[in-house]
Amino acid sequence: MKHTISVIFEHNFNALSRITGLFSGRGYRIDSISFGPGEEEGLARMTLTTHGDEHIIEQITKHLNRLVDVIKVTDLTYVSYVERELALIKISAPPSRRPEVMQIASIFRANIVDISPRTLTVEVTGKTDKINAMLELLRGFGILEVARTGCVALQREYQAKASQEATGIRLA
Amino acid sequence: MKHTISVIFEHNFNALSRITGLFSGRGYRIDSISFGPGEEEGLARMTLTTHGDEHIIEQITKHLNRLVDVIKVTDLTYVSYVERELALIKISAPPSRRPEVMQIASIFRANIVDISPRTLTVEVTGKTDKINAMLELLRGFGILEVARTGCVALQREYQAKASQEATGIRLA
């Protein structure tokens, strides 16, 4: 089963190795990682995806929580969340095939961010499924390079607080 | 100096720890990491940013190249490249302040991806600078959560092959 885990941690030079080490130590592969600065100075928020046995992932999550650098771990698998990923895709596209690539890009609401006589680079964002679908469609043209961010995710607000909010708030 | 390094590696459970270990072993902090599946099955492409002494980063790059899992390392710092990052930002926004947040979102071409009676979650993509600028503007409303992917980057095609392409190709 796929798990999406969000980890807030103190951003020092050792934290990342400690976190990734917990997975590799158990022979678990991290499928994607994304992180950058978090909401507070000195903290970073990482979203990672992995898959495997429920029980072992629960264990890993518990160990993550015990790391000194780690502030908070949330396994988003069991809640409703917004998930997004970004990909840069460089496609082989001589001028004759450009219109077709641009059509596909526009259907996927992707932007063209670089062009050369033989290539186009597009930027696309969305759920992992959408990006996979676009890659699949572009494969016929010849994909030269792909850089994917891996997904980032935030818990949807409404589910968690639905009951307590529903009473007090009226739309303006 | 900031360095943006692209690493293509065999995606096994150990590779990530080995790569991050090279940095932490020298007391170097990785500022952001992003990776997901690469252009070929079984490979992943990681974009990482770090900063520090030229000489030491050159050393780290050389060591990266020697890791068995690593296929290719490119320090993009010295070439022209396309760089993008995605951020999900959850902002405190009761109905009365929503229009203002939505205005800012529209200026930054950001999309609103979740809403609750007291919050809005926006998705924004762009260069790191743009995302920092948007975060700065939104700070006044109260930022509840931020999940950033860290940047991904691909070398611009035209510079590298400009000389060899310029001759043979005519626009259709």
Side-chain angles (χ1 to χ4, degrees):
Chain A
M1 187 179 168
K2 183 189 158 199
H3 282 256
T4 304
I5 299 169
S6 166
V7 185
I8 301 178
F9 61 101
E10 280 176 34
H11 197 183
N12 59 49
F13 67 89
N14 254 329
L16 189 62
S17 289
R18 289 206 193 101
I19 293 169
T20 56
L22 275 185
F23 287 83
S24 62
R26 278 166 189 76
Y28 266 59
R29 198 181 86 168
I30 298 178
D31 293 326
S32 78
I33 273 194
S34 253
F35 83 83
E39 46 268 34
E40 279 174 56
E41 188 75 22
L43 298 187
R45 178 193 289 263
M46 169 193 289
T47 310
L48 62 86
T49 61
T50 185
H51 61 273
D53 182 79
E54 292 298 285
H55 179 63
I56 294 177
I57 290 182
E58 199 189 315
Q59 269 192 336
I60 294 178
T61 319
K62 279 187 187 151
H63 281 289
L64 276 175
N65 254 318
R66 274 187 222 126
L67 289 179
V68 287
D69 317 293
V70 169
I71 313 286
K72 194 181 169 195
V73 182
T74 320
D75 190 338
L76 293 166
T77 317
Y78 307 108
V79 299
S80 156
Y81 60 94
V82 189
E83 153 194 79
R84 285 292 183 282
E85 182 176 351
L86 183 147
L88 292 174
I89 310 169
K90 194 183 281 176
I91 309 140
S92 166
S96 60
R97 306 209 69 182
R98 254 184 227 150
E100 218 179 322
V101 174
M102 289 170 72
Q103 231 166 49
I104 294 176
S106 119
I107 290 167
F108 281 90
R109 289 191 201 132
N111 299 317
I112 294 180
V113 292
D114 189 43
I115 185 166
S116 83
R118 290 189 184 283
T119 67
L120 280 177
T121 304
V122 300
E123 168 211 339
V124 59
T125 62
K127 288 195 178 188
T128 305
D129 291 352
K130 176 184 166 187
I131 292 175
N132 288 341
M134 186 168 181
L135 280 169
E136 213 41 64
L137 253 174
L138 291 173
R139 210 169 289 283
F141 295 88
I143 293 175
L144 303 173
E145 292 183 281
V146 180
R148 293 174 72 156
T149 59
C151 81
V152 282
L154 285 183
Q155 192 169 340
R156 282 190 190 277
E157 195 61 18
Y158 203 56
Q159 69 185 343
K161 298 189 177 161
S163 52
Q164 78 201 62
E165 301 262 28
T167 45
I169 306 277
R170 237 159 301 216
L171 288 177
Chain B
M1 186 178 167
K2 184 190 158 197
H3 282 256
T4 304
I5 299 169
S6 165
V7 186
I8 300 178
F9 61 99
E10 279 176 36
H11 196 183
N12 60 50
F13 67 88
N14 255 328
L16 188 62
S17 289
R18 289 206 192 100
I19 294 169
T20 55
L22 275 184
F23 287 83
S24 62
R26 279 166 188 76
Y28 266 58
R29 197 181 87 169
I30 298 177
D31 292 326
S32 77
I33 274 194
S34 251
F35 85 83
E39 46 267 34
E40 279 175 53
E41 189 74 23
L43 297 186
R45 178 192 290 262
M46 170 194 289
T47 310
L48 61 87
T49 61
T50 185
H51 61 273
D53 183 78
E54 293 298 285
H55 179 64
I56 295 179
I57 290 182
E58 200 189 313
Q59 270 192 335
I60 294 178
T61 320
K62 278 186 187 153
H63 282 289
L64 276 175
N65 253 318
R66 274 187 224 124
L67 290 179
V68 288
D69 319 293
V70 169
I71 313 287
K72 194 180 170 196
V73 182
T74 320
D75 189 338
L76 295 166
T77 318
Y78 308 108
V79 299
S80 156
Y81 60 93
V82 189
E83 154 194 78
R84 283 294 182 283
E85 184 177 350
L86 183 148
L88 293 173
I89 310 169
K90 194 183 281 177
I91 309 139
S92 167
S96 60
R97 306 210 68 183
R98 254 184 227 151
E100 217 179 323
V101 174
M102 288 169 75
Q103 232 167 49
I104 294 176
S106 121
I107 290 166
F108 281 91
R109 289 192 200 132
N111 298 315
I112 293 179
V113 292
D114 189 43
I115 185 167
S116 82
R118 291 190 183 282
T119 67
L120 280 177
T121 304
V122 301
E123 169 211 337
V124 60
T125 63
K127 288 194 177 190
T128 305
D129 292 351
K130 176 184 165 186
I131 292 175
N132 287 341
M134 185 166 180
L135 279 169
E136 213 42 64
L137 251 174
L138 291 173
R139 210 169 290 283
F141 295 88
I143 293 176
L144 302 174
E145 291 183 282
V146 180
R148 293 174 74 155
T149 58
C151 81
V152 281
L154 286 183
Q155 192 170 339
R156 280 190 190 277
E157 196 60 19
Y158 203 53
Q159 69 184 346
K161 297 192 177 159
S163 51
Q164 79 200 63
E165 301 261 27
T167 48
I169 305 278
R170 238 159 302 215
L171 287 176

